[in-house]
Amino acid sequence: MAAVMRSMVCLFPKQLLSKSCGFMVEPRRYVRGLRRKPVKVLFPEHQTGKVVKPAPESDQTAVNPQRKKTNVTSATAQTDKRNPARIRDDADSTVQHPRAAGTKDQVDGLRFERASQGDKRLAKLVSVARSRTFREHQGKILLEGRRLICDALHAGAMPQTVFFSTVDRLRELPLDKLKRAALVKVKFEEIKLWSDVVAPQGVIAIFSRSDPSRLNYANKGQSVGLSLICDNIRDPGNLGTMLRCAAAAGCSSILLTKGCVDAWEPKVLRAAMGAHFKLPIYPNLEWGDIENHLPASVTVHVADHNCGSETELDLLQKPTKAGDFGWVSSNTNPKNVCHEEYNSDSDSDDDGLSLPRVDAKVYYDNWAQTPTALVIGGETHGLSSEAVQLAEKTDGLRLFIPIVPGVDSLNSAMAASILLFEGRRQLLKLQQASGEKRKTKAQR
């Protein structure tokens, strides 16, 4: 190309090749670009033209053992300068990432393990924890999310295994309470695969199912003498909401009868928002054991949920036999309560079955004057006859919330929240009145 350009310059006069004619502009620039020399190759130890074969790694290490470490350090430093984001996790002062999967590492003094490819521990434990049968037999529960796991650890629950996606997620937990747990680092995709939430937080823990009497609850000193009894609550969302309302209202305990959904089901845990670790929950109880978990001087009230289209005056003027309102099942066999559909005609056609009589009262009247327990029945079957018998035995009342005509009934969780906070208001008012009387007597 250079020879062609020289021949063109010789053949044509300079006037034709000038800038004014526009035929060619500065041809020397292109010729100069072609005359550039290639990059020089520097051979090792200043030996030009001579190829030096690298010695075997073992021989170099034997001759100079520090040379290999220096080369690796310099190469790592050059790589870090080119791509600093690549080693952001490696820059942790307390974390040393292993080079092979399945090896152990440390974070703030705790050793954790990186799950190897094909590790099935997370899948097995999650499958076990999702089954109620396995949860009860093996005594394991599954908790997901930073807040729920932290509440469990602060309450004194015993963690068995913690799966996390990043070290930062693990540091969000109280590490001093994870010394006896197995820590396993897995990929976020695997946690997302087995998670029940839309946006998983990247941490799942398996805990031992603890005895309610051994945990340190946050609401232990804030109780107002109010208890909640859930009678045949089957919807997980309703039960979780009721647990959350009971914790917010300052209940001392929650009792679940047989037929209720499992309190440790994942949907119940998410709806309760940590209420399991705010107050004791006693599940799967027979009605004969309910009284053993209540104070001696307790008064049990039941919630009537079939008052939708009737006025307060009509309700108060009606007879108070439970079967007249259709709010109690006449079936006394506990095995059939969970499976039979409710029949409104069964109460009037029963053969000599004497149903208890309980007086009705509007929810905003005074009914919480002593230690109180409130029974909330399920939306499908309502209250069981054993609940009404316990209310009659303790001189309890049938509480109802008046609503406008045309509406079937309130949601059981909504009714529970209204009654619980009204009971809390009445009990606090009673405590304040008694406190003022004591101050007056002390001043006199």
Side-chain angles (χ1 to χ4, degrees), residues 61-108:
T61 308
V63 175
N64 192 357
Q66 299 295 331
R67 183 176 178 180
K68 183 177 179 181
K69 296 181 180 180
T70 306
N71 294 339
V72 173
T73 306
S74 60
T76 306
Q78 292 178 1
T79 307
D80 298 350
K81 291 180 180 179
R82 294 176 185 174
N83 191 4
R86 178 175 172 269
I87 52 123
R88 186 173 299 174
D89 294 336
D90 296 337
D92 253 335
S93 59
T94 56
V95 181
Q96 300 175 356
H97 293 279
R99 297 183 180 273
T103 58
K104 290 194 175 182
D105 212 333
Q106 290 188 2
V107 50
D108 296 344

Side-chain angles (χ1 to χ4, degrees), residues 158 190 265 274 282 301 308 345 361 363 386 391 397 420 436:
M158 298 300 297
E190 192 169 354
E265 188 174 326
Y282 299 94
H301 304 285
D345 299 332
K361 202 168 191 179
Y363 79 100
E386 291 84 356
L397 298 171
L420 286 175
E436 292 177 357

Side-chain angles (χ1 to χ4, degrees), residues 68 82 94 124 129-130 132 169 177 184 191 214 220 301 367:
K68 183 177 179 181
R82 294 176 185 174
T94 56
K124 292 180 180 179
R130 285 181 179 175
R132 179 172 184 172
R169 292 298 182 187
K177 301 180 182 297
V184 183
I191 292 181
R214 297 182 179 180
K220 194 172 184 179
H301 304 285
W367 50 272

Side-chain angles (χ1 to χ4, degrees), residues 146 150 166-175 201 203:
R146 180 189 63 83
C150 288
T166 61
V167 176
D168 294 336
R169 292 298 182 187
L170 183 62
R171 283 203 175 102
E172 293 177 353
L173 306 178
L175 299 180
Q201 299 182 15
V203 56

Side-chain angles (χ1 to χ4, degrees), residues 49-321:
K50 194 174 181 180
V51 180
V52 181
K53 295 183 179 180
E57 187 176 357
S58 58
D59 298 340
Q60 290 182 356
T61 308
V63 175
N64 192 357
Q66 299 295 331
R67 183 176 178 180
K68 183 177 179 181
K69 296 181 180 180
T70 306
N71 294 339
V72 173
T73 306
S74 60
T76 306
Q78 292 178 1
T79 307
D80 298 350
K81 291 180 180 179
R82 294 176 185 174
N83 191 4
R86 178 175 172 269
I87 52 123
R88 186 173 299 174
D89 294 336
D90 296 337
D92 253 335
S93 59
T94 56
V95 181
Q96 300 175 356
H97 293 279
R99 297 183 180 273
T103 58
K104 290 194 175 182
D105 212 333
Q106 290 188 2
V107 50
D108 296 344
L110 289 180
R111 301 188 65 182
F112 67 88
E113 181 181 355
R114 286 176 175 264
S116 58
Q117 187 175 4
D119 196 327
K120 301 297 183 182
R121 282 178 292 180
L122 177 60
K124 292 180 180 179
L125 290 176
V126 170
S127 301
V128 169
R130 285 181 179 175
S131 173
R132 179 172 184 172
T133 305
F134 283 102
R135 281 197 302 266
E136 295 177 351
H137 286 203
Q138 298 190 9
K140 296 180 180 179
I141 57 175
L142 183 144
L143 304 180
E144 182 176 358
R146 180 189 63 83
R147 180 175 179 178
L148 193 58
I149 295 175
C150 288
D151 290 343
L153 292 174
H154 291 312
M158 298 300 297
Q160 294 184 356
T161 309
V162 179
F163 298 94
F164 60 96
S165 58
T166 61
V167 176
D168 294 336
R169 292 298 182 187
L170 183 62
R171 283 203 175 102
E172 293 177 353
L173 306 178
L175 299 180
D176 57 330
K177 301 180 182 297
L178 297 176
K179 296 181 180 179
R180 298 183 179 181
L183 309 179
V184 183
K185 188 177 184 298
V186 298
K187 293 183 179 180
F188 180 77
E189 290 76 10
E190 192 169 354
I191 292 181
K192 187 176 181 180
L193 177 64
W194 294 102
S195 175
D196 287 333
V197 297
V198 179
Q201 299 182 15
V203 56
I204 296 177
I206 306 296
F207 280 77
S208 300
R209 194 166 181 172
S210 305
D211 187 359
S213 59
R214 297 182 179 180
L215 296 179
N216 301 320
Y217 297 103
N219 294 4
K220 194 172 184 179
Q222 302 176 2
S223 175
V224 293
L226 190 63
S227 301
L228 175 64
I229 303 175
C230 297
D231 183 15
N232 205 18
I233 303 295
R234 302 183 185 180
D235 185 78
N238 284 343
L239 181 60
T241 306
M242 293 166 68
L243 299 182
R244 186 176 180 181
C245 292
C251 290
S252 58
S253 61
I254 299 177
L255 310 179
L256 307 180
T257 64
K258 284 190 174 182
C260 290
V261 67
D262 186 19
W264 298 102
E265 188 174 326
K267 291 183 179 180
V268 180
L269 288 166
R270 289 197 301 271
M273 290 294 293
H276 293 73
F277 307 104
K278 298 292 190 301
L279 72 169
I281 301 174
Y282 299 94
N284 207 23
L285 296 176
E286 297 282 356
W287 278 104
D289 300 330
I290 293 291
E291 297 184 49
N292 299 332
H293 294 83
L294 295 174
S297 59
V298 69
T299 303
V300 179
H301 304 285
V302 293
D304 186 359
H305 69 287
N306 285 331
C307 305
S309 61
E310 298 175 288
T311 61
E312 303 173 19
L313 184 60
D314 294 337
L315 281 170
L316 294 175
Q317 291 177 352
K318 275 192 172 184
T320 57
K321 187 166 72 70

Side-chain angles (χ1 to χ4, degrees), residues 395-425:
D395 297 331
L397 298 171
R398 177 171 58 86
L399 307 175
F400 68 92
I401 304 171
I403 56 179
V404 298
V407 180
D408 180 37
S409 63
L410 286 177
N411 177 269
S412 59
M414 183 64 66
S417 63
I418 295 173
L419 295 175
L420 286 175
F421 278 96
E422 176 61 25
R424 173 183 173 83
R425 184 191 67 81

